[in-house]
Amino acid sequence: RIPANYKEDSKSLYRALVIFGGRNCTGEGEVGGMLGFDKWADENDVFLIGPGFKDDEYWQPEKWSGKALLEAIDEIGKSYKISKDRLLYYGYSAGSQCSNLFPAWKPRICAAWVSHACGVFHKPDKKMKTCPGLVTCGEADIGRYQISRNFVIGSRKLGVPIIWKTFPNTQHDVPPDSVTLAKVFLTYYHTENISELEPGKKETAKKKVPASERKILYVGDDQENRFWPVGSREIQNIENEDRVEFASKELAEAWGQEAKPRIAEAAAKPDSAKVKK
């Protein structure tokens, strides 16, 4: 799908978001607006690519599907000015397996990735520090919830910052709030690195700053679904496996609720002495 404001004479390249749908999907619904990425793509000048892979293990890019995707992007690049080096990935269900395994296969060409309701992840690896990831899952999707949670914990132990968000009473489907969060997440990393799409910036991908070294403004607690500004004393007690970091307030707000500072909470409580009197 071509963004509405695409200009053939643009000096800069255009980003591409690869959307992997459910098992053996055609890709047409995904790029056609089924999840609302069509409007998002127009707002951000992003191409949408929906692979229609048909195979039991197409989420394993090193077998054949990775090469097929890159060849397809090369073919598209003959007609349109898209970046082949700094891709965004989004996937749900079987597609979510692609959207994390493909970045792990070639992290240098990944700008950011999102996996929802995933059943197969890459082995947590320090090389993924340069690839910002978002993992979401319904809490009632028991098997995939546990697999996703274990992956997030394993990645965080290696210093790989993964944003993790769960949705209560949600089984194996795609809740609208998960898509909203994904869009905010992808928008941030698309716009934050927009200069890499400019002519002469092809080497940027090889010099990416690890996500763990980017400036952090807010810190959240997975268990409480709340976040605080960096420097708040509350974040000192958050366990590493429950700690999630945000580089923008928009992203933090799409993820959870901002907690009130303790001093404000204390001021709001009635004076016990006055109450007794």
Side-chain angles (χ1 to χ4, degrees), residues 36-236:
F37 275 107
D38 52 339
K39 181 179 178 181
W40 175 88
D42 285 343
E43 292 172 348
N44 290 279
D45 291 332
V46 173
F47 276 73
L48 299 181
I49 299 174
F53 295 143
K54 299 291 188 297
D55 185 275
D56 288 343
E57 292 188 339
Y58 57 79
W59 46 83
Q60 303 289 353
E62 68 277 1
K63 292 188 175 182
W64 66 271
S65 55
K67 180 181 178 181
L69 176 62
L70 296 184
E71 288 179 349
I73 293 175
D74 281 340
E75 192 65 26
I76 296 171
K78 294 177 182 179
S79 302
Y80 301 99
K81 302 185 68 171
I82 65 170
S83 171
K84 307 172 187 178
D85 299 323
R86 304 295 286 123
L87 303 171
L88 297 171
Y89 296 97
Y90 172 87
Y92 64 88
S93 192
S96 69
Q97 296 163 187
C98 295
S99 64
N100 81 85
L101 289 169
F102 276 61
W105 174 57
K106 289 188 179 294
R108 187 184 66 81
I109 65 173
C110 174
W113 61 273
V114 181
S115 286
H116 176 75
C118 188
V120 180
F121 283 96
H122 62 273
K123 182 179 179 180
D125 194 321
K126 289 183 178 180
K127 71 181 181 181
M128 294 299 285
K129 286 185 177 182
T130 60
C131 295
L134 167 64
V135 177
T136 59
C137 192
E139 294 179 6
D141 195 0
I142 304 300
R144 291 172 179 81
Y145 170 86
Q146 195 58 54
I147 291 171
S148 299
R149 178 62 174 158
N150 290 341
F151 169 77
V152 170
I153 292 174
S155 295
R156 288 177 176 174
K157 285 181 178 179
L158 295 178
V160 179
I162 301 290
I163 294 179
W164 165 239
K165 174 71 175 180
T166 63
F167 299 89
N169 305 314
T170 301
Q171 298 183 357
H172 192 60
D173 57 11
V174 185
D177 286 348
S178 73
V179 179
T180 298
L181 174 58
K183 290 175 181 176
V184 174
F185 176 82
L186 293 170
T187 298
Y188 175 80
Y189 286 104
H190 165 56
T191 56
E192 178 73 7
N193 301 293
I194 199 72
S195 64
E196 66 195 10
L197 302 177
E198 298 173 6
K201 297 293 182 72
K202 292 184 178 180
E203 295 300 311
T204 303
K206 299 179 182 179
K207 301 176 182 179
K208 291 189 295 180
V209 176
S212 58
E213 296 179 14
R214 295 189 176 98
K215 185 177 181 180
I216 301 302
L217 300 179
Y218 298 89
V219 176
D221 186 339
D222 282 332
Q223 296 299 318
E224 296 190 20
N225 194 40
R226 297 194 299 168
F227 65 90
W228 296 261
V230 165
S232 301
R233 61 179 180 175
E234 289 87 350
I235 68 177
Q236 298 175 6

